[in-house]
Amino acid sequence: MQIDIVSVFPEYFDVTGLSLLGKAQENGLVTIHAHNLRDWTHDVHHSVDDTPVGGGAGMVMKPEVWGQCLDDLLDMPGGSTRQQLPTDQTVGTAEVKEQKEAMKSSGGESDDIASEADSSADSHKAGVAEPILIFPNPSAPLFTQADATELSQAKRLVFGCGRYEGYDARIPDYYRNKGTDVREYSIGDYVLNGGEVAVSVMLEAITRLLPGFMGNPESIVQESYTGDEPLLEYRQYTRPTTWRGMAVPEILTSGDHGKVDRFRRNEAIRRTSRIRPDLIARLDCSTLDKHDRRLLEDLGWDTRETHPRPLDQPSI
């Protein structure tokens, strides 16, 4: 997967060279390039914003700068054909950067590199690597695990980090009209100073789903919001089994895997019902077993229809 990030603070994404995401870059699972939006400005102050049309507080990011930047990154007709500048950063571990420098200086590998680039270009033309353009926006639909799963199948993602009062609304509209798959997502009901934090959240949620990213792929199978039944995950414990007078649930040390599975399933249902009842209401009652149904009824849910509904809520 190839990921491009546009920001006025590209250094923010140096942290993507750490931990599992850094290892994924070393292993060639993903490449991450952070670009400085100001590299596409032409004035002495490198301005990327202006006052809002119609008045109001704050500043809005200008479409001209974003347009030239995205035209280049998305290979749009009429782009400025700007060559990569030194301020563009290949984000990752020091080892990744050293490998790339070594490849650049090694003439013996240049043909292989060019061949790989041509192959990559062919895959883009085949339609499987069409870039998806993503803007974080607090006024947009909520980013979910389902979105992360879908985007993990993409070959190329381009993230745009807004700042100030946001970006000119014509920017995503323009690229949608040009046929680009444009997404705008919120990561929650709150506002941040810029899009960098939100992009970091989406980036981690997406890349950890790439095949080969996790050391144990089973660790992402039974997580919160995952699968056909997006329940919250049950609580986890480790050794020692007793800590400061608090013991782990006895059934978890019983060795009876069937009872352990049932205990965890029940806890997931209870936690979801208490914290996120909206997720319970989305369950398909036809997939619930008798134990699920009995527990949900004890928790105040009617499971006789297509989806559970609170018992105190009249049937439609």
Side-chain angles (χ1 to χ4, degrees):
M1 175 183 282
Q2 178 182 340
I3 296 173
D4 291 277
I5 306 169
V6 181
S7 168
V8 293
F9 299 112
E11 302 85 359
Y12 188 96
F13 296 97
D14 288 348
V15 296
T16 60
L18 303 176
S19 189
L20 293 177
L21 187 50
K23 291 180 181 178
Q25 292 174 79
E26 289 181 26
N27 296 332
L29 292 177
V30 59
T31 60
I32 303 174
H33 298 270
H35 308 269
N36 192 333
L37 180 63
R38 297 188 192 276
D39 289 340
W40 281 268
T41 60
H42 303 288
D43 65 300
V44 67
H45 299 294
H46 300 291
S47 302
V48 297
D49 59 337
D50 205 339
T51 56
V53 174
M59 303 290 279
V60 179
M61 301 192 90
K62 301 196 293 186
E64 303 100 321
V65 182
W66 274 104
Q68 291 187 32
C69 171
L70 294 175
D71 284 353
D72 283 348
L73 294 181
L74 299 174
D75 297 322
M76 301 292 287
S80 64
T81 64
R82 161 187 170 276
Q83 297 297 315
Q84 187 175 15
L85 296 178
T87 47
D88 286 356
Q89 302 178 31
T90 299
V91 182
T93 60
E95 290 82 2
V96 176
K97 295 178 182 178
E98 290 172 3
Q99 289 171 10
K100 289 184 177 291
E101 290 302 318
M103 286 191 289
K104 288 180 182 177
S105 61
S106 173
E109 296 184 8
S110 60
D111 291 340
D112 292 338
I113 296 170
S115 175
E116 290 179 9
D118 290 341
S119 175
S120 176
D122 290 341
S123 69
H124 275 254
K125 292 176 183 177
V128 297
E130 288 298 317
I132 299 176
L133 178 58
I134 302 171
F135 290 100
N137 185 331
S139 301
L142 189 66
F143 180 77
T144 67
Q145 186 68 27
D147 295 314
T149 301
E150 178 196 356
L151 292 170
S152 71
Q153 307 301 313
K155 298 298 182 182
R156 188 178 179 211
L157 303 175
V158 178
F159 290 94
C161 300
R163 277 268 153 183
Y164 320 117
E165 287 297 309
Y167 46 83
D168 190 299
R170 292 170 293 181
I171 298 169
D173 287 348
Y174 173 86
Y175 288 97
R176 283 193 189 96
N177 293 337
K178 290 295 182 180
T180 301
D181 186 351
V182 181
R183 313 286 182 89
E184 294 176 275
Y185 292 114
S186 166
I187 63 166
D189 296 340
Y190 47 87
V191 178
L192 303 170
N193 287 332
E196 287 78 12
V197 171
V199 166
S200 298
V201 168
M202 290 188 279
L203 187 63
E204 182 159 320
I206 293 166
T207 55
R208 68 191 300 273
L209 299 177
L210 294 174
F213 185 96
M214 303 292 286
N216 179 6
E218 290 298 314
S219 62
I220 62 174
V221 173
Q222 292 187 342
E223 296 182 310
S224 298
Y225 313 112
T226 301
D228 295 331
E229 296 181 335
L231 298 171
L232 301 184
E233 190 178 13
Y234 47 82
R235 297 194 296 173
Q236 299 278 9
Y237 304 88
T238 188
R239 296 178 180 86
T241 56
T242 300
W243 174 74
R244 296 185 177 181
M246 303 171 67
V248 303
E250 185 176 352
I251 195 170
L252 297 179
T253 62
S254 68
D256 189 323
H257 297 297
K259 290 182 178 180
V260 169
D261 289 343
R262 186 69 251 173
F263 173 85
R264 288 174 167 171
R265 170 75 171 176
N266 287 350
E267 182 168 61
I269 291 174
R270 287 192 183 95
R271 295 189 77 200
T272 308
S273 178
R274 177 171 56 87
I275 301 170
R276 290 292 304 276
D278 58 303
L279 296 179
I280 294 291
R282 298 180 204 170
L283 293 176
D284 182 351
C285 289
S286 67
T287 66
L288 302 176
D289 63 27
K290 62 181 182 180
H291 302 288
D292 294 337
R293 289 174 179 271
R294 186 180 303 118
L295 176 58
L296 285 169
E297 289 168 5
D298 290 343
L299 294 172
W301 293 89
D302 186 341
T303 61
R304 293 173 296 179
E305 301 181 12
T306 304
H307 302 287
R309 64 177 180 82
L311 286 171
D312 57 359
Q313 177 181 309
S315 177
I316 299 176

